[in-house]
PDB file of all heavy atoms in Angstrom:
ATOM      1  N   PHE V  35      -2.943 145.661  60.745  1.00  0.00           N
ATOM      2  CA  PHE V  35      -1.596 146.202  60.956  1.00  0.00           C
ATOM      3  C   PHE V  35      -1.531 147.319  61.992  1.00  0.00           C
ATOM      4  O   PHE V  35      -0.604 148.124  61.984  1.00  0.00           O
ATOM      5  CB  PHE V  35      -0.991 146.659  59.623  1.00  0.00           C
ATOM      6  CG  PHE V  35      -0.685 145.518  58.691  1.00  0.00           C
ATOM      7  CD1 PHE V  35      -1.521 145.225  57.627  1.00  0.00           C
ATOM      8  CD2 PHE V  35       0.431 144.719  58.903  1.00  0.00           C
ATOM      9  CE1 PHE V  35      -1.244 144.172  56.766  1.00  0.00           C
ATOM     10  CE2 PHE V  35       0.717 143.669  58.055  1.00  0.00           C
ATOM     11  CZ  PHE V  35      -0.118 143.388  56.988  1.00  0.00           C
ATOM     12  N   GLY V  36      -2.540 147.371  62.856  1.00  0.00           N
ATOM     13  CA  GLY V  36      -2.412 148.226  64.035  1.00  0.00           C
ATOM     14  C   GLY V  36      -2.575 149.715  63.826  1.00  0.00           C
ATOM     15  O   GLY V  36      -2.284 150.490  64.744  1.00  0.00           O
ATOM     16  N   ALA V  37      -3.018 150.151  62.636  1.00  0.00           N
ATOM     17  CA  ALA V  37      -3.293 151.581  62.466  1.00  0.00           C
ATOM     18  C   ALA V  37      -4.601 151.918  63.193  1.00  0.00           C
ATOM     19  O   ALA V  37      -5.431 151.040  63.455  1.00  0.00           O
ATOM     20  CB  ALA V  37      -3.396 151.940  60.987  1.00  0.00           C
ATOM     21  N   SER V  38      -4.784 153.192  63.532  1.00  0.00           N
ATOM     22  CA  SER V  38      -5.984 153.619  64.254  1.00  0.00           C
ATOM     23  C   SER V  38      -6.898 154.412  63.319  1.00  0.00           C
ATOM     24  O   SER V  38      -6.427 155.155  62.458  1.00  0.00           O
ATOM     25  CB  SER V  38      -5.588 154.507  65.436  1.00  0.00           C
ATOM     26  OG  SER V  38      -4.665 153.834  66.258  1.00  0.00           O
ATOM     27  N   ARG V  39      -8.198 154.272  63.536  1.00  0.00           N
ATOM     28  CA  ARG V  39      -9.155 155.051  62.740  1.00  0.00           C
ATOM     29  C   ARG V  39      -9.057 156.525  63.110  1.00  0.00           C
ATOM     30  O   ARG V  39      -8.723 156.877  64.245  1.00  0.00           O
ATOM     31  CB  ARG V  39     -10.574 154.560  62.987  1.00  0.00           C
ATOM     32  CG  ARG V  39     -10.801 153.155  62.470  1.00  0.00           C
ATOM     33  CD  ARG V  39     -12.263 152.749  62.555  1.00  0.00           C
ATOM     34  NE  ARG V  39     -12.372 151.295  62.448  1.00  0.00           N
ATOM     35  CZ  ARG V  39     -12.312 150.622  61.288  1.00  0.00           C
ATOM     36  NH1 ARG V  39     -12.162 151.285  60.152  1.00  0.00           N
ATOM     37  NH2 ARG V  39     -12.398 149.308  61.276  1.00  0.00           N
ATOM     38  N   MET V  40      -9.389 157.387  62.157  1.00  0.00           N
ATOM     39  CA  MET V  40      -9.306 158.833  62.396  1.00  0.00           C
ATOM     40  C   MET V  40     -10.229 159.259  63.536  1.00  0.00           C
ATOM     41  O   MET V  40      -9.935 160.215  64.248  1.00  0.00           O
ATOM     42  CB  MET V  40      -9.658 159.613  61.121  1.00  0.00           C
ATOM     43  CG  MET V  40      -8.658 159.435  59.977  1.00  0.00           C
ATOM     44  SD  MET V  40      -6.916 159.751  60.435  1.00  0.00           S
ATOM     45  CE  MET V  40      -6.926 161.540  60.566  1.00  0.00           C
ATOM     46  N   ASN V  41     -11.361 158.538  63.690  1.00  0.00           N
ATOM     47  CA  ASN V  41     -12.304 158.969  64.723  1.00  0.00           C
ATOM     48  C   ASN V  41     -11.820 158.653  66.146  1.00  0.00           C
ATOM     49  O   ASN V  41     -12.505 158.961  67.114  1.00  0.00           O
ATOM     50  CB  ASN V  41     -13.704 158.394  64.467  1.00  0.00           C
ATOM     51  CG  ASN V  41     -13.722 156.875  64.538  1.00  0.00           C
ATOM     52  OD1 ASN V  41     -12.771 156.260  65.050  1.00  0.00           O
ATOM     53  ND2 ASN V  41     -14.778 156.270  64.022  1.00  0.00           N
ATOM     54  N   THR V  42     -10.641 158.042  66.256  1.00  0.00           N
ATOM     55  CA  THR V  42     -10.062 157.872  67.598  1.00  0.00           C
ATOM     56  C   THR V  42      -9.396 159.164  68.065  1.00  0.00           C
ATOM     57  O   THR V  42      -8.978 159.264  69.209  1.00  0.00           O
ATOM     58  CB  THR V  42      -8.990 156.759  67.610  1.00  0.00           C
ATOM     59  OG1 THR V  42      -7.960 157.098  66.673  1.00  0.00           O
ATOM     60  CG2 THR V  42      -9.589 155.411  67.242  1.00  0.00           C
ATOM     61  N   LEU V  43      -9.247 160.129  67.128  1.00  0.00           N
ATOM     62  CA  LEU V  43      -8.589 161.387  67.490  1.00  0.00           C
ATOM     63  C   LEU V  43      -9.611 162.347  68.092  1.00  0.00           C
ATOM     64  O   LEU V  43     -10.670 162.578  67.502  1.00  0.00           O
ATOM     65  CB  LEU V  43      -7.955 162.028  66.251  1.00  0.00           C
ATOM     66  CG  LEU V  43      -6.840 161.230  65.584  1.00  0.00           C
ATOM     67  CD1 LEU V  43      -6.436 161.882  64.263  1.00  0.00           C
ATOM     68  CD2 LEU V  43      -5.643 161.105  66.514  1.00  0.00           C
ATOM     69  N   THR V  44      -9.293 162.892  69.250  1.00  0.00           N
ATOM     70  CA  THR V  44     -10.219 163.848  69.864  1.00  0.00           C
ATOM     71  C   THR V  44      -9.948 165.267  69.365  1.00  0.00           C
ATOM     72  O   THR V  44     -10.853 166.079  69.294  1.00  0.00           O
ATOM     73  CB  THR V  44     -10.089 163.819  71.404  1.00  0.00           C
ATOM     74  OG1 THR V  44      -8.712 163.932  71.736  1.00  0.00           O
ATOM     75  CG2 THR V  44     -10.628 162.498  71.944  1.00  0.00           C
ATOM     76  N   GLU V  45      -8.715 165.538  69.021  1.00  0.00           N
ATOM     77  CA  GLU V  45      -8.378 166.857  68.487  1.00  0.00           C
ATOM     78  C   GLU V  45      -7.646 166.691  67.172  1.00  0.00           C
ATOM     79  O   GLU V  45      -6.732 165.873  67.075  1.00  0.00           O
ATOM     80  CB  GLU V  45      -7.457 167.596  69.457  1.00  0.00           C
ATOM     81  CG  GLU V  45      -8.172 168.295  70.584  1.00  0.00           C
ATOM     82  CD  GLU V  45      -7.195 169.123  71.402  1.00  0.00           C
ATOM     83  OE1 GLU V  45      -6.338 168.501  72.067  1.00  0.00           O
ATOM     84  OE2 GLU V  45      -7.270 170.357  71.339  1.00  0.00           O
ATOM     85  N   THR V  46      -8.012 167.484  66.179  1.00  0.00           N
ATOM     86  CA  THR V  46      -7.312 167.437  64.892  1.00  0.00           C
ATOM     87  C   THR V  46      -7.112 168.860  64.387  1.00  0.00           C
ATOM     88  O   THR V  46      -7.847 169.772  64.757  1.00  0.00           O
ATOM     89  CB  THR V  46      -8.120 166.652  63.838  1.00  0.00           C
ATOM     90  OG1 THR V  46      -9.432 167.222  63.746  1.00  0.00           O
ATOM     91  CG2 THR V  46      -8.228 165.188  64.184  1.00  0.00           C
ATOM     92  N   PRO V  47      -6.127 169.045  63.525  1.00  0.00           N
ATOM     93  CA  PRO V  47      -5.930 170.359  62.910  1.00  0.00           C
ATOM     94  C   PRO V  47      -7.140 170.734  62.067  1.00  0.00           C
ATOM     95  O   PRO V  47      -7.905 169.865  61.637  1.00  0.00           O
ATOM     96  CB  PRO V  47      -4.699 170.154  62.029  1.00  0.00           C
ATOM     97  CG  PRO V  47      -3.998 168.964  62.597  1.00  0.00           C
ATOM     98  CD  PRO V  47      -5.090 168.085  63.118  1.00  0.00           C
ATOM     99  N   ASP V  48      -7.270 172.010  61.810  1.00  0.00           N
ATOM    100  CA  ASP V  48      -8.422 172.526  61.098  1.00  0.00           C
ATOM    101  C   ASP V  48      -8.216 172.430  59.586  1.00  0.00           C
ATOM    102  O   ASP V  48      -7.910 173.429  58.913  1.00  0.00           O
ATOM    103  CB  ASP V  48      -8.647 173.989  61.530  1.00  0.00           C
ATOM    104  CG  ASP V  48      -9.861 174.578  60.830  1.00  0.00           C
ATOM    105  OD1 ASP V  48     -10.746 173.805  60.417  1.00  0.00           O
ATOM    106  OD2 ASP V  48      -9.891 175.821  60.681  1.00  0.00           O
ATOM    107  N   HIS V  49      -8.354 171.231  59.074  1.00  0.00           N
ATOM    108  CA  HIS V  49      -8.239 171.025  57.619  1.00  0.00           C
ATOM    109  C   HIS V  49      -9.260 169.974  57.221  1.00  0.00           C
ATOM    110  O   HIS V  49      -9.429 168.976  57.938  1.00  0.00           O
ATOM    111  CB  HIS V  49      -6.814 170.558  57.267  1.00  0.00           C
ATOM    112  CG  HIS V  49      -6.576 170.524  55.783  1.00  0.00           C
ATOM    113  ND1 HIS V  49      -7.046 169.507  54.987  1.00  0.00           N
ATOM    114  CD2 HIS V  49      -5.940 171.400  54.949  1.00  0.00           C
ATOM    115  CE1 HIS V  49      -6.690 169.751  53.729  1.00  0.00           C
ATOM    116  NE2 HIS V  49      -6.021 170.891  53.687  1.00  0.00           N
ATOM    117  N   PRO V  50      -9.941 170.183  56.074  1.00  0.00           N
ATOM    118  CA  PRO V  50     -11.012 169.262  55.676  1.00  0.00           C
ATOM    119  C   PRO V  50     -10.589 167.786  55.607  1.00  0.00           C
ATOM    120  O   PRO V  50     -11.403 166.900  55.882  1.00  0.00           O
ATOM    121  CB  PRO V  50     -11.422 169.755  54.289  1.00  0.00           C
ATOM    122  CG  PRO V  50     -10.971 171.174  54.215  1.00  0.00           C
ATOM    123  CD  PRO V  50      -9.803 171.305  55.139  1.00  0.00           C
ATOM    124  N   PHE V  51      -9.337 167.524  55.223  1.00  0.00           N
ATOM    125  CA  PHE V  51      -8.898 166.123  55.073  1.00  0.00           C
ATOM    126  C   PHE V  51      -9.117 165.313  56.358  1.00  0.00           C
ATOM    127  O   PHE V  51      -9.276 164.093  56.311  1.00  0.00           O
ATOM    128  CB  PHE V  51      -7.416 166.038  54.696  1.00  0.00           C
ATOM    129  CG  PHE V  51      -7.089 166.507  53.300  1.00  0.00           C
ATOM    130  CD1 PHE V  51      -8.082 166.973  52.434  1.00  0.00           C
ATOM    131  CD2 PHE V  51      -5.774 166.467  52.826  1.00  0.00           C
ATOM    132  CE1 PHE V  51      -7.764 167.394  51.144  1.00  0.00           C
ATOM    133  CE2 PHE V  51      -5.463 166.877  51.544  1.00  0.00           C
ATOM    134  CZ  PHE V  51      -6.446 167.347  50.694  1.00  0.00           C
ATOM    135  N   PHE V  52      -9.062 166.006  57.500  1.00  0.00           N
ATOM    136  CA  PHE V  52      -9.246 165.289  58.769  1.00  0.00           C
ATOM    137  C   PHE V  52     -10.708 164.930  59.020  1.00  0.00           C
ATOM    138  O   PHE V  52     -11.012 164.146  59.902  1.00  0.00           O
ATOM    139  CB  PHE V  52      -8.723 166.131  59.945  1.00  0.00           C
ATOM    140  CG  PHE V  52      -7.222 166.153  60.032  1.00  0.00           C
ATOM    141  CD1 PHE V  52      -6.498 167.170  59.429  1.00  0.00           C
ATOM    142  CD2 PHE V  52      -6.539 165.145  60.692  1.00  0.00           C
ATOM    143  CE1 PHE V  52      -5.111 167.181  59.487  1.00  0.00           C
ATOM    144  CE2 PHE V  52      -5.155 165.155  60.765  1.00  0.00           C
ATOM    145  CZ  PHE V  52      -4.441 166.178  60.160  1.00  0.00           C
ATOM    146  N   LYS V  53     -11.614 165.549  58.230  1.00  0.00           N
ATOM    147  CA  LYS V  53     -13.046 165.326  58.448  1.00  0.00           C
ATOM    148  C   LYS V  53     -13.723 164.580  57.303  1.00  0.00           C
ATOM    149  O   LYS V  53     -14.704 163.865  57.507  1.00  0.00           O
ATOM    150  CB  LYS V  53     -13.761 166.682  58.604  1.00  0.00           C
ATOM    151  CG  LYS V  53     -13.273 167.543  59.775  1.00  0.00           C
ATOM    152  CD  LYS V  53     -13.896 167.063  61.089  1.00  0.00           C
ATOM    153  CE  LYS V  53     -13.623 168.049  62.225  1.00  0.00           C
ATOM    154  NZ  LYS V  53     -12.196 168.187  62.547  1.00  0.00           N
ATOM    155  N   ASN V  54     -13.184 164.773  56.084  1.00  0.00           N
ATOM    156  CA  ASN V  54     -13.948 164.309  54.912  1.00  0.00           C
ATOM    157  C   ASN V  54     -13.629 162.874  54.489  1.00  0.00           C
ATOM    158  O   ASN V  54     -14.117 162.418  53.466  1.00  0.00           O
ATOM    159  CB  ASN V  54     -13.782 165.288  53.735  1.00  0.00           C
ATOM    160  CG  ASN V  54     -12.374 165.255  53.138  1.00  0.00           C
ATOM    161  OD1 ASN V  54     -11.553 164.415  53.494  1.00  0.00           O
ATOM    162  ND2 ASN V  54     -12.112 166.166  52.212  1.00  0.00           N
ATOM    163  N   GLY V  55     -12.807 162.212  55.262  1.00  0.00           N
ATOM    164  CA  GLY V  55     -12.535 160.815  54.943  1.00  0.00           C
ATOM    165  C   GLY V  55     -11.336 160.581  54.044  1.00  0.00           C
ATOM    166  O   GLY V  55     -10.946 159.438  53.796  1.00  0.00           O
TER     167      GLY V  55
END
Side-chain angles (χ1 to χ4, degrees):
Chain V
F35 292 102
S38 305
R39 293 188 197 281
M40 294 308 286
N41 63 15
T42 59
L43 297 172
T44 50
E45 277 186 292
T46 55
D48 181 24
H49 188 282
F51 290 0
F52 285 93
K53 300 280 190 296
N54 70 8

